[in-house]
Amino acid sequence: MFKLYINPNVKKGHINPELQGNFSEHLGRCIYEGVYVGENSPIKNVNGMRCDVVDALKELNLPVLRWPGGCFADEYHWKDGIGPKETRKKMINTHWGGVVEDNSFGTHEFFELARQLGTKTYINGNVGSGTVQEMSEWVEYMTFEGVSPMADLRTKNGHKDPWRVDYFGVGNENWGCGGNMRPEYYADLYRRYQTYVRTYDSSKPIKKVCGGPNADDYEWTKKVLATCFDHGNGFMDLLSLHYYTVPTGVWEKKGSATEFDDKLWYQTLKKTLYMDEIINGHTAIMDEYDPNKKIGMSIDEWGTWYDVEPGTNPGFLYQQSTMRDALVAGINLNIFNKHCDRVKMANIAQLVNVLQAVILTEGDKMIKTPTYHVFNMYKYHQDNELLDSYIETKEIGVEDRNMVPNLTESVSVDKNGKIHITLTNLSISEDYDIEGVFAESNVKSVKAQIVTNDMKAHNTFDNPDVVKVESFDGIKASGNKLSFKMPKCSVMHIEVEA
Ligand code: AHR
């Protein structure tokens, strides 16, 4: 029996909806085919955005969407993607797959997508190969209301009203694809570029995201903060962190998305749990500079990264998603909740057809991945208060070096007083008896849903509902306790009125 202690009287922080954000890059079939098919496509669309994908994403209450990259962001010149489509520049997407980018999806199209989704916007600017003027004019084009060269150009291109940019990233991975910079050099550039990311309407502040470290590169965090941290409000709102779960840890042979054994199952989960350690490490450094937590952490790229599906363009990063990905999603979202005092945004990579996508498409067909279903259960945490909770665990696994806790959890309370518990069972062989104990509150009602199946189970275009959310009625409530058996290899959401 594993006890889960919940204290509804102790609130530990606000869970920003943005912890369940997503990321859409001009990479492979994410934007083109995945989201945007163009107005003349036989696939049902509104202003070029495919309706099936938009409807599925709306169900997730997608809180924020990052665009246009990734590595693509530091090669993107936004003026190529405005104006009449027939005159937009064609270019080669040198970073991803060497295919022609016709720029038919640009700034106007992104904001149209955000409008249809009802999501906040996170624009990533170009520091690596772009100028300060280019960045400053993009911000003016998107957000300035009144008479100005860029606002006039926007009006000429059919959009008189400014859009709202909620977040603006000053470069991406500038330690790597975004310019191979040293932290001191990037930090100086950040100071300069961010000056011109102006908030023109003070009622709609643009939150600035400074390019942070890769995984456990603590030196980057230290050096960037040492140069940038103390320059008043609005200088830096968030510092990014990127960490991908690569099962083998070897980039040249990352492992298959669907073919893996017990060892690789636990090794993958061990690697994904490393996220917690990394957040702790970077948080400790941020606490030193920013003890009042004015700067948030934005984990704006995370998820599994496997070898591409056989026969697909290696530059498209197209992979399947199994129950292993469901566990990775559930574990990480629990970790983010637990760190909600510092982590203010997280964007899984990526939205459609790329890496740990929530949706896959093939022609006019669309499937929801196991990851999608986990997000659909965790959406009930959005905008809640994190509650004090703790679960007893034991170490499990098949190799000493890759032992993991059998269970993870996080608990929150929503505005109506309902408590939401999310749990993951990392074991591929054992169900566990769990007893939930509520401090000083009796359980009035309970309902639950679950995503569970064999470890390699996944949805295909022929069989789209192998993995899905199902209701779970195995929970008994009595007094201040809940008891149930949590099936192996599962992710669960329990809603309690207490
Ligand atoms: O998500 C794929 C790529 O991973 C992004 O373009 C880049 O930022 C990261 O290295």
Side-chain angles (χ1 to χ4, degrees):
M1 167 83 74
F2 294 87
K3 282 197 170 173
L4 166 63
Y5 298 96
I6 298 166
N7 190 341
N9 303 318
V10 179
K11 296 184 178 146
K12 301 194 80 176
H14 182 69
I15 299 178
N16 242 15
E18 284 89 324
L19 295 195
Q20 296 177 20
N22 219 307
F23 168 38
S24 57
E25 182 166 10
H26 287 237
L27 195 178
R29 297 187 301 114
C30 182
I31 296 289
Y32 301 110
E33 287 189 42
V35 173
Y36 183 73
V37 287
E39 293 83 345
N40 301 323
S41 170
I43 297 172
K44 196 170 165 220
N45 70 84
V46 171
N47 297 327
M49 313 298 156
R50 53 188 297 171
C51 296
D52 51 357
V53 170
V54 167
D55 288 348
L57 292 172
K58 276 166 82 172
E59 202 186 323
L60 296 183
N61 298 342
L62 187 70
V64 63
L65 186 61
R66 178 173 180 239
W67 174 84
C71 295
F72 184 80
D74 281 284
E75 296 194 7
Y76 185 59
H77 300 288
W78 67 273
K79 284 186 183 165
D80 296 347
I82 56 169
K85 292 199 177 172
E86 40 313 339
T87 59
R88 293 189 193 176
K89 268 191 205 158
K90 291 190 174 45
M91 61 187 261
I92 298 294
N93 188 335
T94 43
H95 214 97
W96 301 118
V99 290
V100 173
E101 162 66 60
D102 69 2
N103 279 303
S104 55
F105 188 98
T107 304
H108 291 246
E109 289 74 21
F110 174 70
F111 282 100
E112 169 60 12
L113 174 63
R115 183 193 69 76
Q116 290 188 25
L117 293 173
T119 191
K120 287 187 179 172
T121 56
Y122 175 3
I123 299 286
N124 211 114
N126 178 348
V127 170
S129 71
T131 62
V132 175
Q133 181 181 2
E134 182 179 14
M135 187 177 285
S136 141
E137 285 186 339
W138 199 9
V139 174
E140 183 186 326
Y141 186 87
M142 293 184 285
T143 62
F144 190 79
E145 183 165 25
V147 179
S148 89
M150 290 304 114
D152 291 352
L153 184 58
R154 184 186 66 232
T155 304
K156 187 172 151 240
N157 287 332
H159 210 276
K160 184 167 184 311
D161 294 332
W163 296 287
R164 176 145 193 190
V165 174
D166 295 287
Y167 297 92
F168 192 93
V170 180
N172 168 74
E173 296 195 353
N174 300 93
W175 37 262
C177 64
N180 286 306
M181 299 173 194
R182 292 174 306 117
E184 298 86 346
Y185 181 70
Y186 170 74
D188 278 337
L189 286 187
Y190 177 80
R191 292 172 63 126
R192 180 169 166 229
Y193 276 67
Q194 71 77 33
T195 309
Y196 304 95
V197 178
R198 298 198 193 284
T199 286
Y200 292 107
D201 177 348
S202 59
S203 70
K204 296 172 186 155
I206 301 175
K207 290 193 171 153
K208 297 174 195 170
V209 185
C210 175
N214 181 30
D216 52 10
D217 183 354
Y218 301 119
E219 277 310 295
W220 181 276
T221 301
K222 277 185 208 160
K223 289 183 171 151
V224 167
L225 286 180
T227 310
C228 294
F229 86 102
D230 192 16
H231 295 274
N233 286 334
F235 188 87
M236 183 197 300
D237 298 288
L238 297 120
L239 180 72
S240 73
L241 164 65
H242 290 183
Y243 174 60
Y244 283 98
T245 300
V246 178
T248 60
V250 179
W251 282 93
E252 294 70 36
K253 193 144 187 44
K254 299 176 272 298
S256 156
T258 48
E259 287 309 316
F260 52 89
D261 58 13
D262 300 6
K263 283 186 188 166
L264 217 45
W265 166 274
Y266 288 111
Q267 185 164 319
T268 308
L269 301 189
K270 177 95 181 171
K271 289 212 182 296
T272 223
L273 284 157
Y274 190 50
M275 178 68 91
D276 191 45
E277 191 177 325
I278 298 172
I279 295 175
N280 280 327
H282 292 292
T283 297
I285 300 165
M286 291 176 82
D287 283 350
E288 206 181 312
Y289 290 95
D290 173 36
N292 297 324
K293 299 194 187 328
K294 286 196 269 181
I295 303 172
M297 195 184 291
S298 168
I299 303 165
D300 50 35
E301 288 188 32
W302 68 274
T304 52
W305 194 324
Y306 307 120
D307 295 334
V308 298
E309 284 303 299
T312 64
N313 185 330
F316 279 16
L317 310 187
Y318 177 74
Q319 64 189 38
Q320 251 293 0
S321 184
T322 66
M323 273 306 298
R324 181 171 54 162
D325 298 85
L327 266 293
V328 166
I331 290 167
N332 277 285
L333 293 173
N334 280 341
I335 292 173
F336 302 155
N337 283 351
K338 294 271 185 189
H339 286 282
C340 69
D341 58 337
R342 181 61 85 177
V343 179
K344 297 296 174 191
M345 176 158 62
N347 310 78
I348 191 170
Q350 297 191 7
L351 194 67
V352 189
N353 292 332
V354 172
L355 298 177
Q356 194 177 344
V358 291
I359 286 172
L360 301 177
T361 67
E362 196 177 85
D364 63 354
K365 293 189 195 150
M366 182 205 85
I367 54 175
K368 298 170 178 172
T369 64
T371 302
Y372 175 97
H373 294 299
V374 169
F375 271 79
N376 210 7
M377 292 197 300
Y378 275 65
K379 70 184 175 190
Y380 298 98
H381 283 304
Q382 289 185 19
D383 226 4
N384 292 359
E385 296 302 313
L386 181 74
L387 289 182
D388 192 23
S389 65
Y390 171 77
I391 195 163
E392 295 172 346
T393 59
K394 68 171 181 178
E395 294 268 285
I396 57 167
V398 289
E399 289 178 298
D400 285 347
R401 66 192 179 101
N402 283 320
M403 301 298 279
V404 296
N406 57 337
L407 300 161
T408 78
E409 54 77 32
S410 67
V411 184
S412 70
V413 60
D414 70 22
K415 293 196 170 64
N416 302 315
K418 285 188 181 149
I419 294 171
H420 298 273
I421 307 167
T422 47
L423 290 151
T424 61
N425 180 348
L426 283 64
S427 173
I428 41 174
S429 52
E430 271 188 84
D431 305 340
Y432 297 109
D433 288 316
I434 297 178
E435 184 175 75
V437 184
F438 291 83
E440 295 169 28
S441 331
N442 283 335
V443 177
K444 289 193 204 129
S445 74
V446 61
K447 62 180 182 185
Q449 35 179 202
I450 193 165
V451 172
T452 186
N453 213 309
D454 297 335
M455 68 176 183
K456 293 190 207 167
H458 57 277
N459 298 332
T460 63
F461 293 97
D462 293 331
N463 241 333
D465 291 320
V466 174
V467 179
K468 57 180 190 291
V469 178
E470 291 171 285
S471 68
F472 181 79
D473 55 12
I475 302 193
K476 291 197 193 92
S478 163
N480 69 333
K481 292 190 176 133
L482 295 176
S483 56
F484 56 98
K485 194 181 273 297
M486 183 157 184
K488 65 187 175 192
C489 192
S490 67
V491 183
M492 195 187 275
H493 164 230
I494 307 172
E495 182 184 295
V496 178
E497 277 188 273

